[in-house]
Amino acid sequence: MIKFIWPIDLILLKEVDSTNKYARKYVYKKKNWIIISSINQTKGIGMGKNQWYTEKGKNLTFSIIFKPIKILPVKKRYIINIITSNAIHKTLLNYNNNNLIWIKWPNDIIYDNKKIGGILIENNIFLQNVHSIIVGIGLNINQTKFNKKWNVSSLKKIFNINFKLDKLFFEIIYSFQKEYFLFITYGENFIRNYYINHLYLKDKNSLFYVYKTKSYTKGIIRSITDQGFLIIEIKKKLYFFFQKEIKLILS
């Protein structure tokens, strides 16, 4: 059994529509590090109006509820996404370190150009600071059948082995706590640099759809700003984009 940095309070559900929705009732509880996990999530929430589809008992779908120990201003809320992405990425590297696992801005985990996981973060704000956070995580683990239109995969399809869900679940939670500990100990740049170095398609020519102009453009992902904006070089000029302002088009 993994020894966590901070004690957790685990709530295991047989079935729920969304662990993030269920977690909202615990946001104002005094306890910290409450984990909501479900064997079957029927209507997982993705970014915007997207949904996360998962097969019963074969994947990981859970939410982490915690209150920042260190004051986190609203403008720095992107850091939680950095922490979560890094934690998942580092955990998966323990299973296969072949440079095919990437972090796709802003909230996806990619293996060999296919999505294997997603992150959804909900922040509760008080006096311009983040008071409490719900971090929703969905990872395709042992599921093997997917709609071809989704361009997704799973760890089992990739490595051709069955994964122990409980073991991986606790490893990710520990990795999340460790990454948060690194943040409060060494600061924002320490964890941000890791994220930037593992950005999907960084420094490569890519195709994007810009929602404001309703047009496609070619560009190169260069980095992210200290507020989480994606920096893209277009025609030798740098442009900053926030979530839902631009979409990376995969071939």
mmCIF file of all heavy atoms in Angstrom, residues 178-206:
data_model
loop_
_atom_site.group_PDB
_atom_site.id
_atom_site.type_symbol
_atom_site.label_atom_id
_atom_site.label_comp_id
_atom_site.label_asym_id
_atom_site.label_seq_id
_atom_site.Cartn_x
_atom_site.Cartn_y
_atom_site.Cartn_z
ATOM 1 N N LYS A 178 2.609 14.291 -4.850
ATOM 2 C CA LYS A 178 4.040 14.576 -4.964
ATOM 3 C C LYS A 178 4.288 15.791 -5.848
ATOM 4 O O LYS A 178 5.124 16.646 -5.533
ATOM 5 C CB LYS A 178 4.771 13.357 -5.530
ATOM 6 C CG LYS A 178 6.286 13.539 -5.592
ATOM 7 C CD LYS A 178 6.966 12.283 -6.118
ATOM 8 C CE LYS A 178 8.480 12.475 -6.202
ATOM 9 N NZ LYS A 178 9.161 11.264 -6.727
ATOM 10 N N GLU A 179 3.555 15.886 -6.944
ATOM 11 C CA GLU A 179 3.708 17.018 -7.856
ATOM 12 C C GLU A 179 3.265 18.315 -7.183
ATOM 13 O O GLU A 179 3.894 19.365 -7.373
ATOM 14 C CB GLU A 179 2.890 16.780 -9.124
ATOM 15 C CG GLU A 179 3.349 17.558 -10.334
ATOM 16 C CD GLU A 179 4.711 17.150 -10.864
ATOM 17 O OE1 GLU A 179 5.173 16.026 -10.562
ATOM 18 O OE2 GLU A 179 5.334 17.968 -11.570
ATOM 19 N N TYR A 180 2.201 18.236 -6.390
ATOM 20 C CA TYR A 180 1.759 19.414 -5.641
ATOM 21 C C TYR A 180 2.798 19.806 -4.592
ATOM 22 O O TYR A 180 3.081 20.988 -4.390
ATOM 23 C CB TYR A 180 0.401 19.156 -4.975
ATOM 24 C CG TYR A 180 -0.135 20.371 -4.241
ATOM 25 C CD1 TYR A 180 -0.512 21.507 -4.952
ATOM 26 C CD2 TYR A 180 -0.242 20.386 -2.854
ATOM 27 C CE1 TYR A 180 -0.988 22.635 -4.298
ATOM 28 C CE2 TYR A 180 -0.716 21.507 -2.189
ATOM 29 C CZ TYR A 180 -1.086 22.628 -2.918
ATOM 30 O OH TYR A 180 -1.544 23.755 -2.269
ATOM 31 N N PHE A 181 3.388 18.807 -3.956
ATOM 32 C CA PHE A 181 4.452 19.056 -2.981
ATOM 33 C C PHE A 181 5.649 19.734 -3.660
ATOM 34 O O PHE A 181 6.253 20.666 -3.102
ATOM 35 C CB PHE A 181 4.895 17.740 -2.329
ATOM 36 C CG PHE A 181 6.009 17.902 -1.332
ATOM 37 C CD1 PHE A 181 5.743 18.360 -0.054
ATOM 38 C CD2 PHE A 181 7.318 17.600 -1.681
ATOM 39 C CE1 PHE A 181 6.778 18.522 0.874
ATOM 40 C CE2 PHE A 181 8.350 17.759 -0.774
ATOM 41 C CZ PHE A 181 8.083 18.222 0.507
ATOM 42 N N LEU A 182 6.005 19.290 -4.854
ATOM 43 C CA LEU A 182 7.104 19.913 -5.602
ATOM 44 C C LEU A 182 6.785 21.372 -5.916
ATOM 45 O O LEU A 182 7.662 22.240 -5.869
ATOM 46 C CB LEU A 182 7.361 19.145 -6.901
ATOM 47 C CG LEU A 182 7.957 17.745 -6.760
ATOM 48 C CD1 LEU A 182 8.025 17.055 -8.120
ATOM 49 C CD2 LEU A 182 9.342 17.793 -6.123
ATOM 50 N N PHE A 183 5.514 21.639 -6.224
ATOM 51 C CA PHE A 183 5.096 23.012 -6.523
ATOM 52 C C PHE A 183 5.247 23.920 -5.308
ATOM 53 O O PHE A 183 5.821 25.011 -5.405
ATOM 54 C CB PHE A 183 3.649 23.026 -7.016
ATOM 55 C CG PHE A 183 2.997 24.378 -6.970
ATOM 56 C CD1 PHE A 183 3.496 25.433 -7.717
ATOM 57 C CD2 PHE A 183 1.888 24.597 -6.159
ATOM 58 C CE1 PHE A 183 2.900 26.688 -7.662
ATOM 59 C CE2 PHE A 183 1.297 25.846 -6.102
ATOM 60 C CZ PHE A 183 1.799 26.899 -6.851
ATOM 61 N N ILE A 184 4.731 23.484 -4.154
ATOM 62 C CA ILE A 184 4.795 24.354 -2.971
ATOM 63 C C ILE A 184 6.217 24.443 -2.400
ATOM 64 O O ILE A 184 6.530 25.358 -1.655
ATOM 65 C CB ILE A 184 3.802 23.893 -1.871
ATOM 66 C CG1 ILE A 184 4.118 22.481 -1.367
ATOM 67 C CG2 ILE A 184 2.377 23.975 -2.365
ATOM 68 C CD1 ILE A 184 3.200 22.014 -0.238
ATOM 69 N N THR A 185 7.071 23.488 -2.778
ATOM 70 C CA THR A 185 8.450 23.483 -2.278
ATOM 71 C C THR A 185 9.396 24.246 -3.202
ATOM 72 O O THR A 185 10.200 25.075 -2.747
ATOM 73 C CB THR A 185 8.968 22.038 -2.113
ATOM 74 O OG1 THR A 185 8.094 21.325 -1.251
ATOM 75 C CG2 THR A 185 10.380 22.030 -1.529
ATOM 76 N N TYR A 186 9.300 23.987 -4.517
ATOM 77 C CA TYR A 186 10.260 24.551 -5.466
ATOM 78 C C TYR A 186 9.676 25.627 -6.376
ATOM 79 O O TYR A 186 10.417 26.289 -7.097
ATOM 80 C CB TYR A 186 10.855 23.434 -6.328
ATOM 81 C CG TYR A 186 11.615 22.411 -5.522
ATOM 82 C CD1 TYR A 186 11.087 21.139 -5.316
ATOM 83 C CD2 TYR A 186 12.851 22.721 -4.955
ATOM 84 C CE1 TYR A 186 11.776 20.189 -4.566
ATOM 85 C CE2 TYR A 186 13.551 21.782 -4.200
ATOM 86 C CZ TYR A 186 13.002 20.514 -4.017
ATOM 87 O OH TYR A 186 13.687 19.587 -3.276
ATOM 88 N N GLY A 187 8.368 25.767 -6.371
ATOM 89 C CA GLY A 187 7.760 26.853 -7.120
ATOM 90 C C GLY A 187 7.191 26.481 -8.475
ATOM 91 O O GLY A 187 7.320 25.358 -8.959
ATOM 92 N N GLU A 188 6.558 27.467 -9.087
ATOM 93 C CA GLU A 188 5.819 27.286 -10.335
ATOM 94 C C GLU A 188 6.698 26.857 -11.504
ATOM 95 O O GLU A 188 6.348 25.947 -12.257
ATOM 96 C CB GLU A 188 5.121 28.606 -10.667
ATOM 97 C CG GLU A 188 4.377 28.643 -11.969
ATOM 98 C CD GLU A 188 3.782 30.018 -12.227
ATOM 99 O OE1 GLU A 188 3.676 30.825 -11.282
ATOM 100 O OE2 GLU A 188 3.421 30.288 -13.387
ATOM 101 N N ASN A 189 7.843 27.506 -11.675
ATOM 102 C CA ASN A 189 8.690 27.220 -12.837
ATOM 103 C C ASN A 189 9.189 25.789 -12.858
ATOM 104 O O ASN A 189 9.374 25.196 -13.929
ATOM 105 C CB ASN A 189 9.875 28.187 -12.875
ATOM 106 C CG ASN A 189 9.464 29.589 -13.286
ATOM 107 O OD1 ASN A 189 8.426 29.780 -13.913
ATOM 108 N ND2 ASN A 189 10.267 30.570 -12.916
ATOM 109 N N PHE A 190 9.420 25.218 -11.680
ATOM 110 C CA PHE A 190 9.942 23.860 -11.586
ATOM 111 C C PHE A 190 9.009 22.862 -12.259
ATOM 112 O O PHE A 190 9.440 22.017 -13.044
ATOM 113 C CB PHE A 190 10.156 23.485 -10.116
ATOM 114 C CG PHE A 190 10.806 22.147 -9.926
ATOM 115 C CD1 PHE A 190 12.183 22.020 -9.954
ATOM 116 C CD2 PHE A 190 10.041 21.009 -9.701
ATOM 117 C CE1 PHE A 190 12.790 20.785 -9.787
ATOM 118 C CE2 PHE A 190 10.631 19.772 -9.533
ATOM 119 C CZ PHE A 190 12.011 19.658 -9.571
ATOM 120 N N ILE A 191 7.707 22.960 -11.962
ATOM 121 C CA ILE A 191 6.753 22.008 -12.542
ATOM 122 C C ILE A 191 6.330 22.441 -13.945
ATOM 123 O O ILE A 191 6.016 21.608 -14.799
ATOM 124 C CB ILE A 191 5.509 21.827 -11.639
ATOM 125 C CG1 ILE A 191 4.750 23.150 -11.467
ATOM 126 C CG2 ILE A 191 5.909 21.250 -10.287
ATOM 127 C CD1 ILE A 191 3.385 22.985 -10.865
ATOM 128 N N ARG A 192 6.355 23.734 -14.180
ATOM 129 C CA ARG A 192 5.951 24.257 -15.496
ATOM 130 C C ARG A 192 6.933 23.823 -16.581
ATOM 131 O O ARG A 192 6.535 23.500 -17.714
ATOM 132 C CB ARG A 192 5.858 25.779 -15.410
ATOM 133 C CG ARG A 192 5.283 26.456 -16.646
ATOM 134 C CD ARG A 192 4.915 27.900 -16.320
ATOM 135 N NE ARG A 192 4.893 28.692 -17.537
ATOM 136 C CZ ARG A 192 5.934 29.414 -17.958
ATOM 137 N NH1 ARG A 192 7.046 29.434 -17.257
ATOM 138 N NH2 ARG A 192 5.848 30.109 -19.064
ATOM 139 N N ASN A 193 8.208 23.802 -16.255
ATOM 140 C CA ASN A 193 9.225 23.405 -17.235
ATOM 141 C C ASN A 193 9.036 21.957 -17.682
ATOM 142 O O ASN A 193 9.227 21.628 -18.854
ATOM 143 C CB ASN A 193 10.625 23.605 -16.655
ATOM 144 C CG ASN A 193 11.004 25.067 -16.558
ATOM 145 O OD1 ASN A 193 10.442 25.911 -17.251
ATOM 146 N ND2 ASN A 193 11.949 25.385 -15.691
ATOM 147 N N TYR A 194 8.674 21.083 -16.736
ATOM 148 C CA TYR A 194 8.435 19.687 -17.105
ATOM 149 C C TYR A 194 7.269 19.604 -18.081
ATOM 150 O O TYR A 194 7.339 18.886 -19.088
ATOM 151 C CB TYR A 194 8.138 18.848 -15.859
ATOM 152 C CG TYR A 194 7.908 17.381 -16.162
ATOM 153 C CD1 TYR A 194 8.957 16.470 -16.121
ATOM 154 C CD2 TYR A 194 6.643 16.900 -16.510
ATOM 155 C CE1 TYR A 194 8.761 15.118 -16.412
ATOM 156 C CE2 TYR A 194 6.436 15.567 -16.812
ATOM 157 C CZ TYR A 194 7.496 14.687 -16.754
ATOM 158 O OH TYR A 194 7.275 13.355 -17.060
ATOM 159 N N TYR A 195 6.210 20.321 -17.784
ATOM 160 C CA TYR A 195 5.016 20.333 -18.650
ATOM 161 C C TYR A 195 5.388 20.792 -20.063
ATOM 162 O O TYR A 195 5.025 20.153 -21.053
ATOM 163 C CB TYR A 195 3.969 21.257 -18.032
ATOM 164 C CG TYR A 195 2.658 21.351 -18.789
ATOM 165 C CD1 TYR A 195 1.583 20.553 -18.437
ATOM 166 C CD2 TYR A 195 2.498 22.270 -19.826
ATOM 167 C CE1 TYR A 195 0.369 20.654 -19.110
ATOM 168 C CE2 TYR A 195 1.295 22.372 -20.502
ATOM 169 C CZ TYR A 195 0.235 21.565 -20.144
ATOM 170 O OH TYR A 195 -0.954 21.663 -20.826
ATOM 171 N N ILE A 196 6.123 21.886 -20.150
ATOM 172 C CA ILE A 196 6.500 22.447 -21.449
ATOM 173 C C ILE A 196 7.360 21.460 -22.238
ATOM 174 O O ILE A 196 7.181 21.280 -23.442
ATOM 175 C CB ILE A 196 7.238 23.789 -21.265
ATOM 176 C CG1 ILE A 196 6.272 24.853 -20.726
ATOM 177 C CG2 ILE A 196 7.873 24.256 -22.571
ATOM 178 C CD1 ILE A 196 6.941 26.136 -20.285
ATOM 179 N N ASN A 197 8.277 20.811 -21.565
ATOM 180 C CA ASN A 197 9.186 19.871 -22.233
ATOM 181 C C ASN A 197 8.476 18.629 -22.769
ATOM 182 O O ASN A 197 9.035 17.908 -23.607
ATOM 183 C CB ASN A 197 10.299 19.444 -21.273
ATOM 184 C CG ASN A 197 11.282 20.569 -21.011
ATOM 185 O OD1 ASN A 197 11.439 21.480 -21.815
ATOM 186 N ND2 ASN A 197 11.938 20.525 -19.860
ATOM 187 N N HIS A 198 7.252 18.364 -22.280
ATOM 188 C CA HIS A 198 6.516 17.178 -22.720
ATOM 189 C C HIS A 198 5.213 17.529 -23.438
ATOM 190 O O HIS A 198 4.297 16.725 -23.508
ATOM 191 C CB HIS A 198 6.238 16.258 -21.523
ATOM 192 C CG HIS A 198 7.497 15.684 -20.933
ATOM 193 N ND1 HIS A 198 8.200 16.323 -19.924
ATOM 194 C CD2 HIS A 198 8.205 14.556 -21.229
ATOM 195 C CE1 HIS A 198 9.267 15.613 -19.619
ATOM 196 N NE2 HIS A 198 9.295 14.546 -20.390
ATOM 197 N N LEU A 199 5.157 18.752 -23.976
ATOM 198 C CA LEU A 199 3.987 19.192 -24.735
ATOM 199 C C LEU A 199 3.921 18.469 -26.074
ATOM 200 O O LEU A 199 4.906 18.399 -26.819
ATOM 201 C CB LEU A 199 4.048 20.701 -24.985
ATOM 202 C CG LEU A 199 3.323 21.618 -24.011
ATOM 203 C CD1 LEU A 199 3.551 23.068 -24.407
ATOM 204 C CD2 LEU A 199 1.837 21.321 -23.948
ATOM 205 N N TYR A 200 2.752 17.981 -26.378
ATOM 206 C CA TYR A 200 2.505 17.270 -27.630
ATOM 207 C C TYR A 200 2.694 18.199 -28.828
ATOM 208 O O TYR A 200 2.154 19.303 -28.861
ATOM 209 C CB TYR A 200 1.086 16.708 -27.603
ATOM 210 C CG TYR A 200 0.661 15.914 -28.816
ATOM 211 C CD1 TYR A 200 1.362 14.780 -29.218
ATOM 212 C CD2 TYR A 200 -0.456 16.292 -29.545
ATOM 213 C CE1 TYR A 200 0.960 14.047 -30.321
ATOM 214 C CE2 TYR A 200 -0.881 15.548 -30.647
ATOM 215 C CZ TYR A 200 -0.162 14.433 -31.032
ATOM 216 O OH TYR A 200 -0.561 13.705 -32.127
ATOM 217 N N LEU A 201 3.489 17.776 -29.793
ATOM 218 C CA LEU A 201 3.769 18.480 -31.045
ATOM 219 C C LEU A 201 4.474 19.819 -30.842
ATOM 220 O O LEU A 201 4.401 20.705 -31.700
ATOM 221 C CB LEU A 201 2.487 18.677 -31.870
ATOM 222 C CG LEU A 201 1.836 17.393 -32.377
ATOM 223 C CD1 LEU A 201 0.591 17.714 -33.187
ATOM 224 C CD2 LEU A 201 2.807 16.565 -33.220
ATOM 225 N N LYS A 202 5.168 19.965 -29.721
ATOM 226 C CA LYS A 202 5.944 21.185 -29.496
ATOM 227 C C LYS A 202 7.057 21.288 -30.536
ATOM 228 O O LYS A 202 7.726 20.309 -30.854
ATOM 229 C CB LYS A 202 6.546 21.167 -28.088
ATOM 230 C CG LYS A 202 7.383 22.386 -27.723
ATOM 231 C CD LYS A 202 7.861 22.289 -26.284
ATOM 232 C CE LYS A 202 8.744 23.468 -25.904
ATOM 233 N NZ LYS A 202 10.075 23.393 -26.563
ATOM 234 N N ASP A 203 7.217 22.489 -31.076
ATOM 235 C CA ASP A 203 8.260 22.809 -32.065
ATOM 236 C C ASP A 203 8.070 22.065 -33.395
ATOM 237 O O ASP A 203 9.028 21.881 -34.148
ATOM 238 C CB ASP A 203 9.659 22.531 -31.503
ATOM 239 C CG ASP A 203 9.974 23.381 -30.284
ATOM 240 O OD1 ASP A 203 9.487 24.524 -30.231
ATOM 241 O OD2 ASP A 203 10.687 22.890 -29.381
ATOM 242 N N LYS A 204 6.822 21.648 -33.662
ATOM 243 C CA LYS A 204 6.533 20.973 -34.924
ATOM 244 C C LYS A 204 5.415 21.709 -35.659
ATOM 245 O O LYS A 204 4.500 22.238 -35.041
ATOM 246 C CB LYS A 204 6.128 19.516 -34.676
ATOM 247 C CG LYS A 204 7.256 18.664 -34.102
ATOM 248 C CD LYS A 204 6.831 17.207 -33.968
ATOM 249 C CE LYS A 204 7.982 16.370 -33.428
ATOM 250 N NZ LYS A 204 7.610 14.930 -33.308
ATOM 251 N N ASN A 205 5.517 21.742 -36.969
ATOM 252 C CA ASN A 205 4.467 22.379 -37.768
ATOM 253 C C ASN A 205 3.147 21.650 -37.582
ATOM 254 O O ASN A 205 3.090 20.419 -37.704
ATOM 255 C CB ASN A 205 4.859 22.368 -39.251
ATOM 256 C CG ASN A 205 5.936 23.385 -39.562
ATOM 257 O OD1 ASN A 205 5.769 24.571 -39.309
ATOM 258 N ND2 ASN A 205 7.058 22.929 -40.109
ATOM 259 N N SER A 206 2.097 22.387 -37.266
ATOM 260 C CA SER A 206 0.790 21.788 -36.994
ATOM 261 C C SER A 206 -0.317 22.650 -37.594
ATOM 262 O O SER A 206 -0.107 23.817 -37.931
ATOM 263 C CB SER A 206 0.569 21.643 -35.483
ATOM 264 O OG SER A 206 1.589 20.876 -34.890
#
